[in-house]
Amino acid sequence: MLLLNIDHIPGKEIEALGIVKGTVVQSKNFGKDFMAGMKTLVGGEIVGYTEMLNEARQIATKRMVDEATAIGADAVVNVRYGSSSVMQGAAEVVAYGTAVKLK
């Protein structure tokens, strides 16, 4: 599945099939959350949260691609990501775009 964050596929005609999305709410376990809290005392990257968000983006992207595949899409254009904190140590990630069929 071709994924692009532009609204067209250069050199191709496309037919829009509709919006597709994938969402996930991801959290870290207590031990890693505790260590992340300790990291805020000294500063620097909180690797556990970086890994959590990377994994969440991968899951959300796969769910978006699965939805696009189910409606017969060849690609998803104008792909975007959003995230928000749902609670302490948990984040929602959404991937969305326009499913298209190549002509």
Side-chain angles (χ1 to χ4, degrees), residues 1 9 14-18 72-77 98-102:
M1 177 78 54
I9 300 174
I14 58 173
E15 172 190 355
L17 301 177
D74 298 313
V76 181
V77 297
T98 303
V100 298
K101 187 90 174 151
L102 298 177

Side-chain angles (χ1 to χ4, degrees), residues 21-24 56-57 60-61 80-84 92-96:
K21 49 68 182 107
T23 62
V24 64
R57 275 190 293 275
T61 301
R80 300 288 186 257
Y81 291 94
S83 66
S84 63
E92 175 195 33
V93 173
V94 60
Y96 61 96

